[in-house]
Amino acid sequence: MNMGHSEQHKSIRIERYGLESVPIEERTTSWYRYAFIQFTMSANTGNFLIPALAVMNGGLPFLTAVFYTSIGALLAFLFVSLLTLPGSKYGIPAQYAIRSILGGKGARLVSSPIRSITSLYWFSVQTIGGTYVLQQFLSRTTGNEIPFLFLSVPLAILMVTLATIGFQAFKQATTYFLPVLLLGELVMLSLYFTTEEPATSLLTSNPMLQREHIKVGLFYASLAFVQYVSGVSASADVTRYAVTPKQGAYGLFVGNALGFLMTAVLGSGAATLFNDVNPYVATSEQAAFLWLIGLITLTALLSMLSININNAYTGGYSLLNTFSSLSRVKSALIFGSLGVVLSSFPTIVTQAEYYIRLLGGLIVPLSAVIVVDFLVVKRASLSEGDFHVMTEGDTLFLSPFVTIGIGTLVYFSLPYEQSSGFIAFIVTAMSYYIATKLSSN
């Protein structure tokens, strides 16, 4: 009873912990709460894209697309879960811990700005996408066209407000969202079985591992891996409140894995049955009743809210690592203000593919260095020397940036269709490992 009262009290208290360690007595979040959080963020419009394209562009059967994209995502989630340890073991945010890998100056001037820009961009894209869904629903139900800004700005402000309040608000919101999301996703799956094209054909399509599907399947597995592995630079932010390191890592992995499985089934299914990359749009068009359309729309909006609260929350910490004189609340408000402004320009999504590829040239090699350094070189622990580097803001380590440069060259020199992101990750990881070995010798 006391624990419930304590958690309720925390849910309305503004979080003020910045780069300093979260006190042990504040670390009360169990693995299943982390699983809830990650699951609620999974089934959003951006995450449907790769499983759907594996069917529509790659020509993969339904089960094959689900299988290969899940393999790539699960490998990324393994790394993302292990990189929660700086947060759960030491109570510090991810970008602050990355100072021990790149040096204080390297993290503040390179990795944190990259993470902030990435989070800001996806915050805007998700908000714009959610606004269009809501705008379409209101137009169908009322017959009136609501101006875009009248919807996008309030949605963005709501998400920024919850992110500014902090982790406890984020945790509480996703707990409330989860039952609605599960209901909505189950309704969407049920609509798959009421189409003219029988959904049972999804399970009786071509065998999963036919030889001609392997090359294409591995390509889409690599795309899923690249999409999610960038989470290694932010996953520690939320696990600062984990009861134990194992519970934080396990909860994130379980939630991400189950969430992606649902995402892959919905995304690949919509592409197979309706030739559409967006299950929310496809199923709402199949729904015969207004309340079903409303439920699907609400599901889309809650999923968008969940992922964007996370984008704003982690993006604020990245900004704080660069401008350490700010408080956590101020950095969150600054990030949120930028997000609200960018969300007011729908044209930002028209160049999505270009910006994603451009950011990937730095994000993918950087993620490889983070994974190898923390898991292999540091053996998943931070030493006193590492903490000294983190507090010393002017250090800059050359070796990580040389190998990141190599990975970036590989990324942009290879055709996108040849899994350039995955190859760049492997090359960067091997190069950095060899460099650290030579340096230690």
Side-chain angles (χ1 to χ4, degrees), residues 91-110:
I92 58 176
Q95 288 295 323
Y96 188 62
I98 291 172
R99 291 186 181 192
S100 69
I101 299 173
L102 305 179
K105 184 179 292 186
R108 288 190 300 105
L109 301 182
V110 180

Side-chain angles (χ1 to χ4, degrees), residues 208-335:
M208 191 181 301
L209 296 176
Q210 284 191 352
R211 181 172 297 179
E212 63 266 26
H213 295 150
I214 293 177
K215 182 177 180 181
V216 176
L218 290 176
F219 169 68
Y220 282 98
S222 72
L223 291 185
F225 173 81
V226 169
Q227 178 179 356
Y228 292 105
V229 77
S230 63
V232 299
S233 64
S235 59
D237 292 346
V238 293
T239 57
R240 300 168 77 189
Y241 293 90
V243 174
T244 65
K246 285 185 178 179
Q247 291 210 36
Y250 180 69
L252 253 71
F253 185 81
V254 169
N256 279 328
L258 293 177
F260 184 81
L261 181 60
M262 176 65 81
T263 300
V265 168
L266 289 172
S268 298
T272 302
L273 295 172
F274 311 117
N275 197 36
D276 199 318
V277 298
N278 191 332
Y280 293 126
V281 173
T283 53
S284 64
E285 291 175 350
Q286 297 294 318
F289 302 102
L290 184 60
W291 71 267
L292 282 177
I293 299 172
L295 177 60
I296 293 169
T297 301
L298 180 60
T299 303
L301 289 175
L302 292 182
S303 180
M304 180 270 295
L305 284 171
S306 299
I307 187 65
N308 258 2
I309 295 170
N310 181 70
N311 283 331
Y313 183 73
T314 59
Y317 273 116
S318 298
L319 192 65
L320 178 61
N321 189 54
T322 298
F323 302 102
S324 304
S325 60
L326 296 174
S327 66
R328 193 205 73 85
V329 173
K330 287 181 180 179
S331 65
L333 289 173
I334 292 172
F335 179 92

Side-chain angles (χ1 to χ4, degrees), residues 170-221:
F170 182 26
K171 180 173 72 173
Q172 201 66 36
T174 52
T175 301
Y176 292 141
F177 293 169
L178 183 61
V180 180
L181 286 166
L182 283 173
L183 177 61
E185 289 162 4
L186 290 174
V187 165
M188 292 165 67
L189 287 175
S190 71
L191 289 171
Y192 283 11
F193 288 86
T194 60
T195 63
E196 295 180 2
E197 175 73 22
T200 52
S201 64
L202 296 177
L203 306 178
T204 58
S205 56
N206 294 334
M208 191 181 301
L209 296 176
Q210 284 191 352
R211 181 172 297 179
E212 63 266 26
H213 295 150
I214 293 177
K215 182 177 180 181
V216 176
L218 290 176
F219 169 68
Y220 282 98

